[in-house]
Amino acid sequence: MSDHLIIFDTTLRDGEQSPGASMTKEEKTRIARQLERLRVDVIEAGFPASSNGDFDAVHEIAKAVRDSTVCGLARASENDVRRTGEALKPAKSMRIHTFIASSPIHMQMKLRMTPEQVLEYAVKAIGWAREYTDNVEFSPEDAGRSEPDFLCRLLEAAITAGANTVNIPDTVGYTMPWQFGALIKSLRERIPNSDRAVWSVHCHNDLGLAVANSLAAVMNGARQVECTINGLGERAGNASLEEIVMAVRTRKDVFPCTTRIDTTQIVAASKMVSGITGFPVQPNKAIVGANAFAHESGIHQDGVLKHRETYEIMRAEDVGWGANKLVLGKLSGRNAFRTRLAELGIELPGDDALNIAFARFKELADKKGEIFDEDLHALVSEEGIVPAHEHYRLAALKVTSETGTVPHARVMMNVGDVEVVAEVGGDGPVDAVFGAIERMADSKAKLVLFSVNAITGGTDAQGEVTVRLERDGRIVNGNGADTDIIVASAKAYINALNRLHAGVERINPQLAA
Ligand code: KIV
Ligand code: ZN
């Protein structure tokens, strides 16, 4: 059996299914480039049949990525598979991933199909996919709750039809690690042609067991793990890439395989995904949390100073902590700025966007002096560098807040081509600013999340604000960064309004029959 563990990243597909995590084509392409730098084997770039936007994003990523296989998800229908094949056409290496549910509850209640029909569709879908590529993956959705005998029949037929990766999803995060390991072992033993496919797993984290289940599967012969940066994904998320990779690397004595991941790119990937989606990383999150390598207690600090391995099983620098070296300052020129953006994999769409970004960089450098990589990521994330989504634009903002008085905001913004102004009082300065923006935009959206994080250390750090808005069941996130957190808050709110305004609709592959 191969000793290479394939890392299949689905941040851009399953990760994007988290409510509010939807990303623009430019953002997805930026993340895909970072995944390539991370040396992920397979990037699941999206679900092309879900929307024209997703089709375009997968197509763009297929053009941009050269060193990882680019994969697209398709339900087991001819239209889905063909849309996916078309979207992936420019890829140097492509894979079509098709799936259909196999558990009794999904077949009866969701698909309203008999097991025989499910098997027939699976085989047909694999056949359509093989017309585009010989790299085809098949998943029986909700395998964790499927009948083992039916799974064996379905997977044997899928391999015979030409699937060379078979993926076992624990779609609802229901199984226990020992059960999931045993399931992989028994499927591999019972299915006569099992050695003609790579065995893969895809675990959700509803009971906090996604990583444990994936690793149990690896110990039982799985050689592909599907995972996401920061464990992003539907509901409680997917198995976290950084935890899987570092477990396999740190416990070489236990695992019979290795990955090709460049672990020093992990923290950069985590920060990029968190910044773009607006999903903060909890401080005590393994590997990528701000405290993951911080030693607070005196005993620990003393031990680490004497001999670091007393309390550390991994080195912070091996996963990319401390790599955000000071790169630019206020004397840096346009060329240095453009070069550093290119090194970070950030490509701006044309000279206008570069000019806007450079002007913002100079403004920021004047306020802040030292500019770190995280600042650059935040700076280009801001709406306005990619002008297509800018229906609302912040023009000016004045806030007064004094003990014993009602905070008051005066906000001027552009709505389309019209400049409008509103003045509103509020419970606090942020509340007043949001009230003023809402008075002008009249979006009727409900604010469901407001969070502020410091992008780098120090009191001169930029504050990065995430705002989540909900309207008619649709959820969007907006981000904004500035050294003034009130301004960052206004930018984030306006960014979310622009996303609501853009109205990009996507189908969730698992909810659509
Ligand atoms: O969770 C799941 O079952 C999936 C499949 C589409 C692989 O995401
Ligand atoms: Zn999933």
Side-chain angles (χ1 to χ4, degrees):
M1 191 189 302
S2 164
D3 61 4
H4 175 59
L5 178 63
I6 298 169
I7 297 296
F8 175 115
D9 180 278
T10 182
T11 307
L12 299 173
R13 198 279 298 169
D14 217 328
E16 208 202 12
Q17 282 170 223
S18 314
S22 62
M23 308 167 215
T24 64
K25 180 169 78 179
E26 289 73 23
E27 290 167 341
K28 288 184 113 187
T29 309
R30 194 137 49 88
I31 291 178
R33 286 183 191 281
Q34 178 60 25
L35 293 173
E36 190 181 21
R37 267 193 294 279
L38 189 61
R39 292 179 47 78
V40 153
D41 299 276
V42 186
I43 298 172
E44 189 163 55
F47 171 35
S50 68
S51 70
N52 291 338
D54 226 32
F55 181 95
D56 291 344
V58 172
H59 196 67
E60 197 59 38
I61 292 168
K63 282 196 252 167
V65 168
R66 298 287 93 181
D67 197 34
S68 307
T69 296
V70 182
C71 174
L73 182 72
R75 289 166 297 188
S77 82
E78 183 164 1
N79 175 59
D80 270 37
V81 172
R82 296 208 184 283
R83 283 290 280 164
T84 307
E86 290 306 319
L88 290 170
K89 273 250 164 85
K92 187 167 166 218
S93 164
M94 66 140 104
R95 174 182 296 186
I96 296 179
H97 175 193
T98 185
F99 78 99
I100 190 162
S102 58
S103 63
I105 184 167
H106 276 227
M107 289 190 291
Q108 282 158 26
M109 310 306 290
K110 184 178 88 166
L111 298 178
R112 304 196 190 286
M113 280 186 181
T114 64
E116 292 319 308
Q117 287 171 316
V118 164
L119 195 143
E120 185 190 325
Y121 269 90
V123 167
K124 277 189 178 155
I126 294 164
W128 293 315
R130 290 289 304 217
E131 291 176 28
Y132 295 85
T133 173
D134 56 10
N135 190 345
V136 175
E137 171 170 334
F138 171 70
S139 294
E141 190 194 0
D142 203 17
R145 292 188 300 171
S146 299
E147 304 275 358
D149 288 349
F150 178 56
L151 265 189
C152 284
R153 251 185 350 111
L154 180 59
L155 290 166
E156 182 180 351
I159 297 170
T160 304
N164 25 40
T165 300
V166 282
N167 177 46
I168 309 303
D170 182 18
T171 304
V172 291
Y174 180 70
T175 60
M176 295 290 123
W178 56 94
Q179 292 176 325
F180 199 60
L183 174 67
I184 302 301
K185 182 169 189 285
S186 104
L187 292 172
R188 288 184 52 240
E189 283 170 0
R190 288 181 57 191
I191 297 176
N193 54 4
S194 68
D195 58 338
R196 283 172 37 201
V198 172
W199 286 78
S200 167
V201 288
H202 175 112
C203 298
H204 279 269
N205 206 29
D206 299 66
L207 293 172
L209 293 170
V211 169
N213 281 340
S214 306
L215 295 176
V218 171
M219 292 307 289
N220 285 282
R223 284 296 176 270
Q224 173 175 290
V225 173
E226 302 199 352
C227 44
T228 57
I229 303 290
N230 300 337
L232 197 69
E234 285 256 19
R235 307 180 309 279
N238 288 63
S240 121
L241 178 145
E242 56 278 7
E243 293 177 23
I244 302 276
V245 167
M246 290 313 289
V248 169
R249 181 182 144 131
T250 307
R251 297 304 309 271
K252 291 189 184 76
D253 56 325
V254 172
F255 292 100
C257 48
T258 51
T259 74
R260 65 162 204 158
I261 295 294
D262 175 357
T263 59
T264 63
Q265 293 291 333
I266 285 178
V267 168
S270 163
K271 292 193 175 195
M272 187 187 285
V273 169
S274 165
I276 287 177
T277 58
F279 280 56
V281 175
Q282 75 194 59
N284 56 331
K285 163 85 176 64
I287 321 291
V288 292
N291 290 352
F293 292 88
H295 296 278
E296 182 71 25
S297 90
I299 296 174
H300 285 208
Q301 284 173 353
D302 182 54
V304 169
L305 286 176
K306 286 185 177 136
H307 187 77
R308 116 194 236 160
E309 274 146 43
T310 48
Y311 286 100
E312 275 187 12
I313 58 167
M314 296 168 278
R315 296 187 322 164
E317 54 272 36
D318 288 351
V319 298
W321 280 110
N324 63 339
K325 49 191 181 297
L326 171 64
V327 281
L328 298 169
K330 62 185 191 181
L331 298 179
S332 306
R334 226 176 112 90
N335 229 345
F337 177 69
R338 193 205 327 244
T339 307
R340 187 59 194 155
L341 288 185
E343 282 166 7
L344 293 172
I346 301 169
E347 267 176 28
L348 296 175
D351 279 353
D352 283 355
L354 183 69
N355 290 341
I356 298 173
F358 186 62
R360 287 193 182 162
F361 158 73
K362 281 290 186 189
E363 214 178 282
L364 183 63
D366 270 342
K367 285 194 220 159
K368 196 173 174 280
E370 301 177 330
I371 306 289
F372 296 91
D373 290 346
E374 287 90 336
D375 292 313
L376 294 181
H377 280 298
L379 190 124
V380 298
S381 289
E382 284 177 33
E383 217 63 17
I385 302 247
V386 183
H389 307 284
E390 255 191 317
H391 180 67
Y392 300 103
R393 251 171 317 123
L394 179 67
L397 162 66
K398 183 176 172 198
V399 177
T400 45
S401 176
E402 196 182 336
T403 331
T405 64
V406 175
H408 184 269
R410 181 176 191 277
V411 181
M412 188 187 290
M413 70 179 198
N414 294 82
V415 181
D417 294 331
V418 185
E419 195 167 79
V420 273
V421 180
E423 295 198 29
V424 166
D427 288 343
V430 172
D431 187 50
V433 167
F434 287 0
I437 296 173
E438 196 45 46
R439 181 164 298 171
M440 294 179 277
D442 194 24
S443 74
K444 310 231 170 14
K446 194 168 131 213
L447 177 70
V448 287
L449 179 124
F450 169 69
S451 88
V452 187
N453 281 298
I455 295 182
T456 52
T459 48
D460 68 347
Q462 288 198 89
E464 187 171 47
V465 175
T466 302
V467 160
R468 188 172 300 161
L469 297 180
E470 200 221 303
R471 187 177 65 196
D472 302 331
R474 212 174 140 233
I475 299 175
V476 293
N477 276 336
N479 303 316
D482 201 281
T483 46
D484 178 333
I485 58 164
I486 308 289
V487 176
S489 305
K491 286 179 177 175
Y493 198 97
I494 290 174
N495 183 214
L497 286 180
N498 277 321
R499 286 170 186 240
L500 264 188
H501 182 76
V504 188
E505 292 302 344
R506 301 168 60 251
I507 314 170
N508 179 329
Q510 284 149 306
L511 296 180

